Amino acid sequence: MKMLNRIIDVLNRIEEIILVVLFSAMVLIIFIQVIMRKANNSLYWSEELGKFLFVWISWLGISIAQRKGEHIKITMLVDRLPYRVAQLFNVISDVIVIGICAVTFYYGVSLVVSQWTSPYAGIKISTSWGYLAVVLGCGLMMLRCVGSIVNSAVCLKNGKPEEKEGGREE
């Protein structure tokens, strides 16, 4: 179990580093484009590359949001339920998300395959690279949901974790 936790920690760190690098590159490219536009020397590929990076950031970001439990949820009902029932609702919610991601993953793979020979006009790479973000994001999201289901199952078995000093859970 310790080895699995180490692997997950390393993957979490890699995911965060990739997102920071992509975001920094996107900001830099858009900044340079603004400067070049003011100098009447626009970079024709920069807007498309900025959009491409934004797509990757968005789809990889869903995994981090799931890991941190920061996706938007309407919890008005669940917050009023007993702890174990609320965990059961979390499991049901995660199963639904896995189903949606599985369908999106499937069609994303077919788009990656079918669009391999279609390049973006400005950045001259295959549009499959853009669709690959959807596939990877959904794949990571499904893995995170499985982890969330396991966590909820442990909570269902063991009950509500005890709160530590300062009101924080372990």
Side-chain angles (χ1 to χ4, degrees), residues 15 31 66 93 127 139 147:
E15 186 179 50
F31 176 74
Q66 175 66 23
S93 171
T127 55

Side-chain angles (χ1 to χ4, degrees), residues 102-123:
V103 170
T104 307
F105 182 91
Y106 173 80
Y107 286 107
V109 168
S110 69
L111 280 171
V112 167
V113 171
S114 69
Q115 297 299 312
W116 193 253
T117 58
S118 301
Y120 285 106
I123 54 178

Side-chain angles (χ1 to χ4, degrees), residues 52 55-56 59-60 105 108-109 111-113 116 120 126-139:
F52 176 83
V55 166
W56 270 91
W59 280 100
L60 291 179
F105 182 91
V109 168
L111 280 171
V112 167
V113 171
W116 193 253
Y120 285 106
S126 171
T127 55
S128 288
W129 289 106
Y131 292 120
L132 187 60
V134 175
V135 173
L136 189 59
C138 285

Side-chain angles (χ1 to χ4, degrees), residues 8-145:
I8 290 171
D9 288 343
V10 168
L11 291 175
N12 289 345
R13 188 72 179 134
I14 290 170
E15 186 179 50
E16 290 169 356
I17 290 169
I18 289 171
L19 282 172
V20 167
V21 168
L22 290 176
F23 185 76
S24 300
M26 182 184 73
V27 168
L28 181 65
I29 288 164
I30 292 171
F31 176 74
I32 291 170
Q33 170 61 10
V34 169
I35 300 298
M36 295 300 287
R37 200 177 286 166
K38 291 293 181 188
N40 290 326
N41 191 9
S42 184
L43 303 173
Y44 68 92
W45 50 267
S46 60
E47 182 180 349
E48 191 169 63
L49 183 56
K51 288 178 187 177
F52 176 83
L53 293 173
F54 183 75
V55 166
W56 270 91
I57 291 165
S58 300
W59 280 100
L60 291 179
I62 67 170
S63 172
I64 289 180
Q66 175 66 23
R67 179 183 67 186
K68 294 182 177 186
E70 294 181 355
H71 277 289
I72 296 172
K73 294 181 183 178
I74 299 174
T75 60
M76 184 173 62
L77 173 65
V78 176
D79 287 346
R80 294 189 174 142
L81 295 172
Y83 181 77
R84 289 180 188 254
V85 176
Q87 291 303 310
L88 186 60
F89 272 88
N90 286 339
V91 169
I92 293 167
S93 171
D94 285 334
V95 168
I96 291 169
V97 170
I98 288 171
I100 292 167
C101 284
V103 170
T104 307
F105 182 91
Y106 173 80
Y107 286 107
V109 168
S110 69
L111 280 171
V112 167
V113 171
S114 69
Q115 297 299 312
W116 193 253
T117 58
S118 301
Y120 285 106
I123 54 178
K124 307 290 188 218
I125 63 171
S126 171
T127 55
S128 288
W129 289 106
Y131 292 120
L132 187 60
V134 175
V135 173
L136 189 59
C138 285
L140 290 170
M141 182 70 167
M142 287 188 288
L143 291 175
R144 299 285 186 197
C145 284

